[in-house]
Amino acid sequence: MNQKGFSWKSSLLKEIDFYLVTDSGLSKKGTLSNVKDAVNSGCRIVQYREKDKSTKEMVEEASEIKRICSGRAIFLVNDRIDVALAVDADGVHIGQDDMPVETARKLLGEDKIIGLSVNDREEAILAEKLGADYVGLGPIFDTATKKDAGEGIGSLKIREVKDAIKLPVVAIGGINKDNCESVIQNGADSLVSISAVVCSDDVKRETKYFIDMIRRNKKA
């Protein structure tokens, strides 16, 4: 592997805490507003997840998100490798049923970040073998945000996965202010809380809440 690309990615991914995933269907103020507010609050990683817009609209919006994130946050596109390539995003996040990691790597190159959704220890170990740069583990708790997510696996499973791989583990699924501390205490490097942030009237405040909580618990 290109050592320069590897070390660049590793050092960037070590810095993440709160991970913003956009959702235009849930957002009160719109995707671009959410990204701006989150990045201004110190969010260091943004995933553009959009299922309802045309490719043209997505490319336009992704270009704008890239501009907002430039030099301040990692910018990934969910699933759509064509959109990521079109705007030269920092990488992609893909699911178990999306394009295989090896194919995505061939298209994107060694220097781009690839995150893979996993549900358990075995999938996480395989993700590492296939060359993913981090895993998105979940759903940790039951969630209404993603209809096909399945039942929550519980925060104790995070430690199991964390002990089995060297990659950063991002926890996702049903995470909110009431249960987020257990997620970090059980070893997650970062977490996603979609509805708690994008449904809020004050995205800056909510993002800051999660960043402070994560940093506090990582130090403890």
Side-chain angles (χ1 to χ4, degrees), residues 10 47 64 71 95 98 140-141 149 155 162-163 198 209:
S10 302
Q47 181 191 137
E64 191 56 29
D98 296 330
I140 306 300
F141 307 107
S155 57
K162 192 69 191 150
D163 288 345
V198 305
Y209 172 88

Side-chain angles (χ1 to χ4, degrees), residues 68-87:
I68 297 164
C69 292
S70 183
R72 301 166 79 197
I74 297 168
F75 168 46
L76 307 178
V77 176
N78 176 276
D79 185 16
R80 295 289 300 272
I81 289 167
D82 55 339
V83 174
L85 286 167
V87 302

Side-chain angles (χ1 to χ4, degrees), residues 21 47 117 136-141 170-175 190-194:
V21 176
Q47 181 191 137
S117 295
L137 175 66
I140 306 300
F141 307 107
V170 177
I172 185 166
I175 299 168
S190 171
L191 63 78
V192 174
S193 180
I194 298 175

Side-chain angles (χ1 to χ4, degrees), residues 88-212:
D88 193 26
D90 295 315
V92 295
H93 183 90
I94 49 183
Q96 290 288 321
D97 297 326
D98 296 330
M99 187 180 288
V101 173
E102 315 93 285
T103 312
R105 178 64 71 205
K106 276 182 197 156
L107 292 168
L108 291 165
E110 292 293 343
D111 292 352
K112 297 297 186 184
I113 292 168
I114 297 177
L116 182 65
S117 295
V118 301
N119 187 244
D120 55 33
R121 183 176 173 275
E122 284 66 39
E123 286 182 355
I125 291 168
L126 183 58
E128 186 169 54
K129 279 185 186 151
L130 292 172
D133 297 297
Y134 75 88
V135 297
L137 175 66
I140 306 300
F141 307 107
D142 293 348
T143 176
T145 309
K146 199 164 186 284
K147 302 285 183 280
D148 58 350
E151 280 184 23
I153 59 173
S155 57
L156 292 176
K157 289 282 182 193
I158 300 167
R159 178 61 59 197
E160 215 177 87
V161 169
K162 192 69 191 150
D163 288 345
I165 61 171
K166 291 189 174 74
L167 302 180
V169 175
V170 177
I172 185 166
I175 299 168
N176 56 40
K177 285 183 173 179
D178 298 328
N179 58 29
C180 59
E181 297 216 16
S182 70
V183 168
I184 300 302
Q185 287 162 1
N186 278 294
D189 297 287
S190 171
L191 63 78
V192 174
S193 180
I194 298 175
S195 47
V197 173
V198 305
C199 296
S200 163
D201 290 316
D202 193 337
V203 169
K204 268 188 186 170
R205 184 193 65 218
E206 298 306 311
T207 302
K208 188 88 173 65
Y209 172 88
F210 283 107
I211 290 172
D212 290 346

